[in-house]
Amino acid sequence: MPITNTDAVLWYNVGVFGEAGYAVPNWSNDVGSLNPQVLDWVELVGRNLFHIMHHEDADLRIPPSINTCKRVHKLYLRAANVLAGRAVPSGVDNMEVTHARPAGEVFRVYPVPYFKVRNPFLRRWAGLILVSLSEAMQHTENRKEMEISTAFAGTVGQYVKRVYTNMAIELFGKTREAAIADGFALTDADLAAYNPSAFFTATEMVDTVPRLDRVFTEDRLEVLAEGIPVTELPADISPWPTNLTNFYSGIRSDGVMPGTTNAGGASTAAPIIPPAP
């Protein structure tokens, strides 16, 4: 079982999927949960992200199609309903078990194209959703047996809301004030009027044909689509191989980053990424 020493989104470096830049959320050393609500969130959002990121839009630099926008729209509404319906405020008693307890489960992840995704919107949105999943998998409330709090909902839900806000402003021309308002949602009329050419430059509306040898069939994706328990992932799973330490040591006058030197003064360790709150 892999044990990570970073909180960065992880590179699913397995065969052709590694070459294609697939990624999974980072569970750190928290491989499972006692909380069925957290497990539901990781499953729901992970599966939806998997299908969104395997759409043809991910391979194109032009604005996403209305198909993808509708999927993001529905995911946001569904995710918001789940959190609103299940999160318990601080002043409300939590439901507690008397005898039986939920059986703990290992998290399942759904590897998605990420690091080499050509579409800037989908890559940015996927990054936010992967962080939301990582936050959920590492959250303290995995020890709680029945409930999630509004604090948990705010922590994991903020990333999905940011995706939706970004889509509403940049692709549908909504003002920031409207898009961040509580209860905001795109209407059927908004979706029907989708016209990215009204906001994008002519350069952004055209693209070259991407490589076609990484378009995987449904059968090839079958194992990934079923979800992979984190305990069955490769032992050497790691972040995307961008070594900032070596880069900085070669160009910065201060040379070595604090706390990352060996006996000869050379930099040896990767930068330390702050843990999730």
Side-chain angles (χ1 to χ4, degrees):
M1 180 187 73
I3 298 295
T4 64
N5 61 354
T6 175
D7 282 319
V9 171
L10 296 171
W11 179 26
Y12 182 68
N13 187 16
V14 178
V16 293
F17 302 114
E19 296 171 7
Y22 274 54
V24 292
N26 191 327
W27 62 94
S28 186
N29 60 349
D30 303 303
V31 298
S33 179
L34 292 178
N35 194 319
Q37 315 304 336
V38 180
L39 289 162
D40 280 356
W41 176 264
V42 173
E43 179 77 7
L44 168 71
V45 177
R47 286 188 63 209
N48 275 274
L49 181 64
F50 179 85
H51 290 288
I52 289 172
M53 295 306 295
H54 282 97
H55 190 269
E56 60 198 39
D57 285 347
D59 280 337
L60 302 171
R61 294 191 181 99
I62 60 177
S65 67
I66 188 61
N67 304 57
T68 292
C69 294
K70 285 182 176 179
R71 290 186 179 99
V72 172
H73 170 70
K74 290 181 178 179
L75 173 58
Y76 171 71
L77 294 181
R78 174 71 175 126
N81 282 336
V82 167
L83 294 178
R86 303 185 190 184
V88 177
S90 299
V92 175
D93 288 345
N94 284 206
M95 180 166 51
E96 296 178 344
V97 298
T98 302
H99 298 292
R101 282 185 162 80
E105 294 183 34
V106 171
F107 288 119
R108 302 180 76 89
V109 294
Y110 296 83
V112 296
Y114 175 59
F115 293 107
K116 292 186 178 181
V117 165
R118 297 173 83 241
N119 189 284
F121 286 95
L122 285 170
R123 190 181 191 282
R124 182 167 62 253
W125 297 347
L128 288 166
I129 299 301
L130 287 167
V131 172
S132 173
L133 293 169
S134 301
E135 294 274 22
M137 296 163 86
Q138 297 186 39
H139 202 279
T140 307
E141 293 189 12
N142 282 294
R143 174 58 183 88
K144 296 178 71 173
E145 297 171 348
M146 299 300 294
E147 309 279 29
I148 54 173
S149 68
T150 50
F152 172 88
T155 296
V156 303
Q158 63 182 322
Y159 302 98
V160 184
K161 182 174 178 60
R162 179 60 60 87
V163 168
Y164 196 68
T165 299
N166 176 249
M167 184 178 77
I169 294 173
E170 293 196 37
L171 296 183
F172 289 87
K174 298 297 181 181
T175 65
R176 179 170 178 78
E177 290 72 21
I180 65 175
D182 290 341
F184 168 79
L186 294 168
T187 65
D188 290 342
D190 290 329
L191 295 169
Y194 180 55
N195 180 21
S197 63
F199 311 108
F200 287 77
T201 67
T203 301
E204 293 173 297
M205 295 300 297
V206 296
D207 190 17
T208 56
V209 177
R211 59 184 297 171
L212 305 178
D213 59 337
R214 289 177 179 160
V215 181
F216 303 118
T217 65
E218 182 180 15
D219 290 341
R220 191 67 182 273
L221 295 172
E222 182 178 5
V223 173
L224 275 59
E226 290 297 320
I228 302 173
V230 297
T231 51
E232 296 179 13
L233 288 169
D236 59 349
I237 197 167
S238 62
W240 187 247
T242 302
N243 195 324
L244 294 177
T245 304
N246 290 342
F247 177 77
Y248 280 124
S249 65
I251 66 169
R252 290 284 296 266
S253 60
D254 50 357
V256 181
M257 297 181 68
T260 62
T261 60
N262 59 19
S267 177
T268 58
I272 298 174
I273 299 175

